[in-house]
Amino acid sequence: QVQLVESGGGLVQAGGSLRLSCAASGGTVSGYYLGWFRQAPGKEREFVLTISWNTGRTYYADSMKGRFTISRDYTKNTMYLQLNSLKPEDTAVYYCAATKRSTSSDARDYDYWGQGTQVTVSS
């Protein structure tokens, strides 16, 4: 069973950057689609982007294009989310998730979730 652990969140000023990590354990994530979601207080969980671990093909939510970038390190079984030009409205708990089904922006399609990491952007 895949286990996911996020890290890298914190407090940053508007315009700043953060790099979030999602480390997978419990087995290889080969064949999985990994995704990032975020949830702000009082709001529903929102899709950020997803990546096919095997092919590297990515799919971004339209509102996330241009400022957020995903990458992965095979040797560390880790996925990274680079957040640039952060805005106060990016404040949320960021979660990584995994599924073997297919590329999906629907949180219900993901079977494994991390505990989340808090990102707070001050104005």
Side-chain angles (χ1 to χ4, degrees), residues 2 4 22 24 29 32-36 49-53 70 78-79 97-99 110:
V2 173
L4 304 172
C22 173
V29 290
Y32 280 83
Y33 299 86
L34 301 183
W36 284 98
L49 52 80
T50 183
I51 185 170
S52 166
W53 187 262
I70 194 169
T78 298
M79 171 176 67
T99 180
Y110 288 78

Side-chain angles (χ1 to χ4, degrees), residues 31-76:
Y32 280 83
Y33 299 86
L34 301 183
W36 284 98
F37 291 79
R38 68 184 187 182
Q39 188 165 19
K43 296 188 177 181
E44 293 187 354
R45 194 161 295 190
E46 178 184 24
F47 171 71
V48 177
L49 52 80
T50 183
I51 185 170
S52 166
W53 187 262
N54 286 10
T55 69
R57 185 169 183 174
T58 58
Y59 171 58
Y60 288 75
D62 288 341
S63 61
M64 309 298 173
K65 291 179 181 178
R67 296 189 299 122
F68 296 174
T69 305
I70 194 169
S71 62
R72 68 203 194 285
D73 185 330
Y74 288 108
T75 63
K76 297 181 179 180

